Amino acid sequence: MMLYRYWQDFNQRFDFSADALKADFFAGLTVSLVAIPQSLAYAQLAGVPAYYGLYAALIPTIMGALFGSSNQLSTGPVAMTSLLTAASIAPLAAQGTDLFISYVILLALISGLIQIAFGIMRAGVLLNFLSNPVLMGFINAAAIIIGMSQLPTLMGITFVQSTHFLLDISQVMLHVNELHLPSLGFGLVAILLLVGFKHWAPRLPGVLITVVLLTFTSFSIDYAGMGGAVVGVIPEGLPTLSVPPLEWQATVTLLPAAFVIALISFMEAMSSCKVISIKTRQPWDENRELIGQGLAKVVAAFCHSMPVSGSFSRSALNLASDAKTPLASIISALFVLSTLLFFTSLLHHLPKPVLAAVIMMAVLNLVNFQSIRNAWLVSKDDGVAALLTFIATLAFAPNIQNGILTGILLSLALLLFRLMRPRIAVLGQHSDTTLRDAVLHKLPPLHPRLGAIRFDGALRFVNVAYFENAILQLERENPRMVYILVQCSGINQIDASGIEMLRNLLGRLESNGIHLAFSSVKHQVSNVMQTTGLLNQIGNHNIFATDRDAIATLRDRLEQMPKSA
């Protein structure tokens, strides 16, 4: 059934009319002009040979296009996933070794299988528990780490890296006397060219032109002979397909990192899908996209490559280039294929400082401190979460996966805290006869012997004590109280703990001569109250359909009571 649905959707997503084919061809060509140099750069960031990036931009791109749900999403190497890959494996193996590369391949396989599992179980919604402020804090810190990590390559400085990013940055300053001027020159010129193309010729493939010009310059002046680092030999032809190296101990060790990569890479792809969906008015399916992204990673592992993800920048370019169907991504992969088959020898003299410049300029757009400020303005809790995640990610670097795990724990802690302490308002009657927050609107008490309270949240085991304390505090502050009205429009769910708390509270208040009344009770809450017999204990005469009826009736009852009551 699932395969039939995939095949049916596959036919609907492709359009082979002349206009659509033309649009997809030029969109694919445009994206490939950016994807090829970016793939080489992001492979360097991931700590693997540059041509692994081209492998990751070939078959994985096609798989992501065929099995995903968004027509314009471009899958391939991306900065964040590449950095997470290098950071996850750095404590286990030295960069450039066969062991390091085998772990990169294994990480692609595990993270892909995690995404496929979540997609098949239709559990994509579970990956949304990472709050936006935490994600923004992580992305800002990761972007800074990515940019700063390229300084040694940009300056041509080599030293033994430690397990602490901030210490390595200080080492760069200490080794500044070992600066390789030709390398720095290539890096700075690349940055100037990229900035120039971005501001004055944004429609041109600035990254590709910069790479071509500086590769030719490197060849002309024999930059490699000067001691400069170049890409070197790239094997011609297609990557060999084989089963990834499997090792049980390594698999267990890499599981937490694989989960983080599965989470972050999907959130990056998801943000692109949402933007595309809004602009094209096309639906997308998060569970299907999980499967598509997972299959792309698994295929990357079988191609002996690195983890991939949906690229925000290349997807935006795909959309801006008027791509109509997933064929555009397939065409961009075919141009990568032609590069592997016919043009790898031309990349031999590509200076690594140029790739470092490409990486630094690519992640510059990720730095957005305004997002952290906005989180603070919305809620101090969100602002603190964003700031702590930012600091933790920098402090843990290069093990930035610990930073995002800190953020996840913060997200869950904040969620639990908010569930435990929903907003509670003591109510007064506004001039329009509605019940509103008495403190916020400076409203007088309803009546010396009548109080009202509103609870803005589901009444669950985590917050029943908070609700009970609010009622008892209202009782203590008003010794003459006879009726307490619970305005229930904000209570959309109640569990067994909530029912039991209300039973005990009713009995305690009744013994003190105080009655609980309820208004605007939602249907699902009323059903639970009735099923459990709580409605009988409350009494139908203390249940009101509207707030207005409740206030009018309770005031009448109080007026009919003896003044001494």
Side-chain angles (χ1 to χ4, degrees):
M1 187 65 179
M2 182 179 286
L3 290 175
Y4 173 75
R5 215 170 74 244
Y6 264 81
W7 175 250
Q8 192 177 38
D9 188 60
F10 178 86
N11 288 329
Q12 292 173 351
R13 293 176 67 210
F14 283 85
D15 182 356
F16 296 104
S17 65
D19 289 342
L21 286 172
K22 180 181 177 182
D24 284 342
F25 176 82
F26 284 106
L29 173 62
T30 303
V31 171
S32 69
L33 296 178
V34 174
I36 291 168
Q38 276 192 352
S39 298
L40 295 166
Y42 294 152
Q44 175 174 298
L45 180 60
V48 296
Y51 60 87
Y52 275 58
L54 294 177
Y55 291 169
L58 183 55
I59 302 179
T61 298
I62 295 173
M63 292 297 288
L66 291 178
F67 291 94
S69 66
S70 177
N71 287 352
Q72 287 82 16
L73 183 68
S74 177
T75 302
V78 296
M80 197 66 68
T81 303
S82 298
L83 177 64
L84 281 167
T85 299
S88 301
I89 301 171
L92 305 176
Q95 282 195 13
T97 62
D98 290 342
L99 183 61
F100 185 94
I101 293 172
S102 68
Y103 284 169
V104 169
I105 295 167
L106 183 58
L107 194 59
L109 178 66
I110 302 169
S111 58
L113 290 175
I114 290 172
Q115 287 187 324
I116 292 171
F118 270 89
I120 291 175
M121 293 187 297
R122 305 193 66 78
V125 68
L126 296 179
L127 295 181
N128 291 328
F129 60 75
L130 186 63
S131 69
N132 183 261
V134 166
L135 185 62
M136 290 301 101
F138 172 76
I139 287 176
N140 275 283
I144 292 172
I145 293 166
I146 291 171
M148 299 291 282
S149 69
Q150 297 306 301
L151 279 177
T153 305
L154 189 81
M155 300 167 69
I157 296 174
T158 56
F159 60 89
V160 178
Q161 292 185 330
S162 70
T163 57
H164 297 284
F165 168 74
L166 296 176
L167 182 61
D168 287 344
I169 296 303
S170 66
Q171 287 294 315
V172 172
M173 299 301 105
L174 291 174
H175 288 77
V176 72
N177 59 316
E178 300 174 16
L179 179 73
H180 189 245
L181 287 176
S183 296
L184 181 63
F186 270 102
L188 293 178
V189 170
I191 290 173
L192 290 174
L193 286 172
L194 291 169
V195 171
F197 279 115
K198 181 179 179 180
H199 285 281
W200 291 294
R203 291 186 174 275
L204 293 177
V207 176
L208 184 69
I209 295 172
T210 299
V211 167
V212 170
L213 285 176
L214 294 181
T215 301
F216 179 75
T217 304
S218 169
F219 169 74
S220 301
I221 66 173
D222 191 19
Y223 167 67
M226 299 177 182
V230 295
V231 167
V233 177
I234 296 179
E236 291 184 355
L238 299 174
T240 56
L241 294 175
S242 61
V243 177
L246 299 175
E247 184 185 333
W248 174 248
Q249 188 59 46
T251 300
V252 173
T253 304
L254 290 173
L255 264 178
F259 176 77
V260 171
I261 288 176
L263 172 65
I264 296 299
S265 66
F266 181 65
M267 294 197 75
E268 190 170 6
M270 186 170 64
S271 63
S272 296
C273 289
K274 287 180 178 178
V275 171
I276 292 168
S277 180
I278 291 169
K279 292 187 176 181
T280 62
R281 298 185 179 180
Q282 295 173 354
W284 73 285
D285 185 322
E286 61 185 7
N287 293 304
R288 175 162 181 168
E289 200 61 58
L290 264 172
I291 294 173
Q293 291 295 305
L295 285 172
K297 287 181 175 65
V298 170
V299 166
F302 277 83
C303 294
H304 287 236
S305 189
M306 52 197 261
V308 295
S309 179
S311 166
F312 191 87
S313 61
R314 294 196 298 274
S315 297
L317 179 60
N318 208 20
L319 186 63
S321 302
D322 201 29
K324 302 296 183 186
T325 75
L327 184 62
S329 292
I330 296 172
I331 290 170
S332 73
L334 293 178
F335 279 107
V336 173
L337 173 62
S338 65
T339 302
L340 281 168
L341 291 176
F342 307 113
F343 303 113
T344 52
S345 60
L346 301 179
L347 297 172
H348 182 282
H349 292 279
L350 172 57
K352 288 190 175 182
V354 174
L355 294 180
V358 170
I359 293 170
M360 294 174 79
M361 293 304 298
V363 300
L364 189 63
N365 294 328
L366 296 176
V367 179
N368 180 15
F369 291 117
Q370 183 63 36
S371 62
I372 297 178
R373 182 175 180 274
N374 290 342
W376 180 269
L377 293 175
V378 171
S379 164
K380 297 297 183 289
D381 292 344
D382 285 339
V384 168
L387 194 58
L388 287 179
T389 304
F390 176 82
I391 294 170
T393 304
L394 287 177
F396 282 120
N399 299 312
I400 63 170
Q401 65 274 16
N402 294 333
I404 197 63
L405 289 174
T406 301
I408 291 173
L409 292 175
L410 274 172
S411 292
L412 295 175
L414 283 173
L415 175 62
L416 183 60
F417 178 76
R418 288 167 180 166
L419 288 173
M420 290 175 66
R421 299 176 66 85
R423 186 172 181 271
I424 294 180
V426 176
L427 305 177
Q429 193 164 28
H430 197 263
S431 57
D432 63 2
T433 73
T434 60
L435 293 180
R436 300 192 186 183
D437 189 325
V439 176
L440 185 64
H441 295 281
K442 299 180 174 62
L443 300 176
L446 290 169
H447 190 280
R449 293 184 290 177
L450 170 62
I453 199 166
R454 187 183 68 232
F455 188 79
D456 294 335
L459 197 52
R460 298 191 182 98
F461 70 97
V462 294
N463 56 34
V464 291
Y466 186 60
F467 175 89
E468 184 177 23
N469 289 336
I471 296 288
L472 295 176
Q473 182 178 349
L474 186 62
E475 176 202 13
R476 286 193 298 270
E477 293 174 354
N478 300 273
R480 297 179 60 198
M481 191 76 69
V482 175
Y483 281 102
I484 296 177
L485 174 67
V486 180
Q487 205 271 5
C488 298
S489 63
I491 303 176
N492 56 16
Q493 188 179 7
I494 186 168
D495 66 6
S497 299
I499 294 293
E500 191 61 28
M501 179 273 297
L502 287 176
R503 285 189 195 282
N504 296 332
L505 187 61
L506 281 163
R508 176 173 176 175
L509 293 175
E510 287 286 348
S511 66
N512 292 332
I514 299 173
H515 309 284
L516 268 184
F518 297 82
S519 66
S520 302
V521 183
K522 292 185 181 294
H523 180 69
Q524 62 270 28
V525 176
S526 178
N527 280 347
V528 176
M529 287 180 167
Q530 187 169 8
T531 303
T532 57
L534 183 64
L535 278 184
N536 294 332
Q537 188 176 349
I538 296 170
N540 289 329
H541 61 287
N542 286 328
I543 302 290
F544 301 93
T546 67
D547 304 335
R548 191 171 300 174
D549 289 344
I551 296 299
T553 303
L554 294 176
R555 276 179 172 164
D556 285 344
R557 290 181 191 173
L558 290 169
E559 292 301 322
Q560 294 171 15
M561 283 184 177
K563 297 296 182 182
S564 59

